[in-house]
Every structure is written in C-alpha cells, then in structure tokens.
Amino acid sequence: AELKFKNVTEGTNIRYILTGIGEKAPALGEIKLETRVGQSTTHELMIPNKSNKKICYYVYSNTNFIKGPEKIMVLPNRKEPYIFEIIPTQRGDFKGAITFKPGEWPIKDIDSDGDEIYSADAKEDPQNFTLWYTFDIKIQPPPHQALVELET
C-alpha cells in the first residue's frame, strides 16, 4: 500500500510505501451466556453494514445447538438485528464463533414481464468483509426430573 501526505502550506509531499501481511479482523464482540440443558435461550446481535450497498450475510456457527435464520439482509449504512435461539442438549462449557459471510441475495427482482432486473452496480462484488462474534456459553445440567428413594 502507499500512504501519501501533502502539506499544502509548504507545498511538500511525503510518500510512504507500506508492506506487510493483513491479519484477521477482530471479532465484533463476545457473547457470554449461561443456560440449562433443554432450556431455550434467545439472543440478539446487531449486524452492521457500513457500505453504500445492501449486503446479504450467510450465517454459520461451529455448534449445532445455535438455531436462527440462515441469512440476513442488511440495508446500506444500517444495523439489523439477528435473533437466534440456543437449545443445548448437553451440559458443559462451549466456546466458538458465529460468522456472517457476505454473498448474493438468493431472491431476484423481476419486472412485469418476468425478466430479472439487474441493478446498475450488479457487476461489483459484494463487500468481502466477514463479520463474526465469539461466544462462551456455560450450560448447566437440567433440573432433576424426579426423586427416587431406594432402600437396601
């Protein structure tokens, strides 16, 4: 990359050549929750779009007990809530991530003749920034279902 500074008062230009390797962007936040096995817990995340185009994010998680919509559309320069449910089937401490990867919106606009409508910026790629949150979920065992008394 190149970084340029222009001093209009003195009429000088300073140019820096930057080299390096880009690192993975940090998580947007960390979700810390406590719940019980079999208990449903709802949580909401705000998903930002700082671009001037609407973006469809496809949602992925590395656990099977987080349930929510597979995709979310975020309008330009807005934030949209992503609501998901946690329904754990086993106890323990779980750490992982919920990831939002940009992609194409699967629903196409059509005109009155049934032809697909292409927007003026259809040739441009969607924002290629992946957003993600880390989570730390502590799951307690379920409450006792019954008390059994034994005598020996």
Side-chain angles (χ1 to χ4, degrees), residues 8-61:
V8 290
T9 308
E10 297 177 5
T12 59
N13 291 323
I14 300 173
R15 184 176 140 210
Y16 295 97
I17 303 297
L18 306 174
T19 58
I21 297 173
E23 295 182 0
K24 186 176 182 181
L28 289 179
E30 184 178 15
I31 305 162
K32 289 190 176 197
L33 296 172
E34 286 191 28
T35 187
R36 286 191 173 276
V37 171
Q39 178 182 344
S40 173
T41 304
T42 303
H43 193 73
E44 178 180 302
L45 297 173
M46 293 305 288
I47 309 303
N49 176 4
K50 295 181 181 179
S51 74
N52 292 325
K53 297 178 183 146
K54 65 182 178 181
I55 296 177
C56 174
Y57 288 105
Y58 288 83
V59 184
Y60 303 94
S61 176

Side-chain angles (χ1 to χ4, degrees), residues 5-136:
F5 291 104
K6 184 176 184 178
N7 186 334
V8 290
T9 308
E10 297 177 5
T12 59
N13 291 323
I14 300 173
R15 184 176 140 210
Y16 295 97
I17 303 297
L18 306 174
T19 58
I21 297 173
E23 295 182 0
K24 186 176 182 181
L28 289 179
E30 184 178 15
I31 305 162
K32 289 190 176 197
L33 296 172
E34 286 191 28
T35 187
R36 286 191 173 276
V37 171
Q39 178 182 344
S40 173
T41 304
T42 303
H43 193 73
E44 178 180 302
L45 297 173
M46 293 305 288
I47 309 303
N49 176 4
K50 295 181 181 179
S51 74
N52 292 325
K53 297 178 183 146
K54 65 182 178 181
I55 296 177
C56 174
Y57 288 105
Y58 288 83
V59 184
Y60 303 94
S61 176
N62 59 349
T63 64
N64 59 357
F65 56 81
I66 292 182
K67 309 288 185 202
E70 295 176 356
K71 55 191 163 296
I72 179 173
M73 174 66 73
V74 185
L75 297 176
N77 299 307
R78 302 267 316 263
K79 289 182 180 181
E80 293 293 332
Y82 179 77
I83 301 169
F84 62 95
E85 196 172 18
I86 301 165
I87 309 171
T89 57
Q90 59 185 356
R91 70 181 194 173
D93 292 344
F94 294 89
K95 294 183 184 220
I98 184 165
T99 308
F100 299 86
K101 292 187 177 186
E104 286 189 26
W105 185 247
I107 301 170
K108 305 295 181 196
D109 293 327
I110 57 170
D111 63 12
S112 60
D113 297 334
D115 297 327
E116 187 174 335
I117 300 172
Y118 295 97
S119 63
D121 54 22
K123 296 174 186 163
E124 295 183 24
D125 291 334
Q127 174 185 352
N128 58 2
F129 296 112
T130 298
L131 309 176
W132 57 291
Y133 288 84
T134 59
F135 60 78
D136 184 4

